[in-house]
Amino acid sequence: MDLWAQYRGLYAAALFTVECAEDAYRLGALDPVLRAWVRRELENREGSIGHCDSRMDVAAAVEGLATVAPRYVKLRRELFSDLHHIGRPAPQWRAVGTRLAVLAPLQVWRQPPAYALLLRDPGTATAGAQSWDFIVFPRSGDPREPGTTYTTMLFADPAPAPASGVDSSRRPGTVQVTPQLEEQREHYEQLTHAFHALDRDVRFAALHDPDAGRGDPLPPPG
């Protein structure tokens, strides 16, 4: 069997593994977001074998593709437990990758909102800012509920010296949101946890921070 055929077989096996995990561990409102994310991860690696120039390149491409499905299966198990299993620590935000984080709240006694924070296509960013979608799903157990999406802008701080080696896409910055989200204080608080789960060093323009010298806090919604 040639290398391309073997790699296509690995891709098919990874997709089959993903599909089985999605059938076994259903995650309600978060399912569409996670399904789209993992398929992009697989598609981004589908042609990697064609760019290999050495055995080491081949090994790296195979490893990169082979690790997607196991990590995804583990994530779905953890999120499924977050949603359904009592007696565990309170569910926390989970970083799915560097551009996506989700929160699956326990829904045994009630159905609190589920949340997702994901970076939009970099092509949609404005100069000096990243555009993120913060999605609030009012019924975490219902995949038919599309949720409410709040546009969230992350304005990067001035670039560090080139020698610092800081990834320009992950520079510290300030998060600004719409007035509608600022008024939803419970949701806004979850947004702060989401960026911290992604290990992003950011400040939040609508939060009172005396250490940073910002002004008085916003009044609570009426």
Side-chain angles (χ1 to χ4, degrees), residues 21 34 48 54 62 72 80 91 111 132 140 145 150 153 161 169 194 221-222:
L34 292 168
S48 296
S54 67
V62 170
Y72 185 67
F80 186 85
Q111 282 210 8
W132 294 73
S140 57
E145 287 278 356
Y150 297 94
M153 302 302 297
S169 68

Side-chain angles (χ1 to χ4, degrees), residues 131-153:
S131 182
W132 294 73
D133 284 337
F134 180 61
I135 310 173
V136 180
F137 300 98
R139 291 177 55 83
S140 57
D142 190 349
R144 296 168 299 180
E145 287 278 356
T148 300
T149 299
Y150 297 94
T151 299
T152 302
M153 302 302 297

Side-chain angles (χ1 to χ4, degrees), residues 4-63:
W4 265 105
Q6 290 178 308
Y7 195 77
R8 284 195 297 269
L10 177 62
Y11 180 89
L15 182 58
F16 180 60
T17 303
V18 161
E19 292 170 343
C20 289
E22 291 169 343
D23 186 56
Y25 305 106
R26 301 190 180 190
L27 301 175
L30 292 176
D31 259 332
V33 174
L34 292 168
R35 288 172 184 265
W37 175 85
V38 74
R39 281 158 179 76
R40 282 195 301 270
E41 290 292 300
L42 292 175
E43 289 168 2
N44 287 341
R45 294 165 172 78
E46 186 175 9
S48 296
I49 198 73
H51 305 290
C52 296
D53 296 321
S54 67
R55 290 188 176 93
M56 293 179 65
D57 290 344
V58 171
V62 170
E63 181 182 4

Side-chain angles (χ1 to χ4, degrees), residues 4 43 61 69 79 82 93 125 140 144 158 161 177 180 203:
W4 265 105
E43 289 168 2
L79 290 170
D82 287 347
W93 277 88
S140 57
R144 296 168 299 180
V177 302
Q180 291 83 357
R203 298 174 301 280

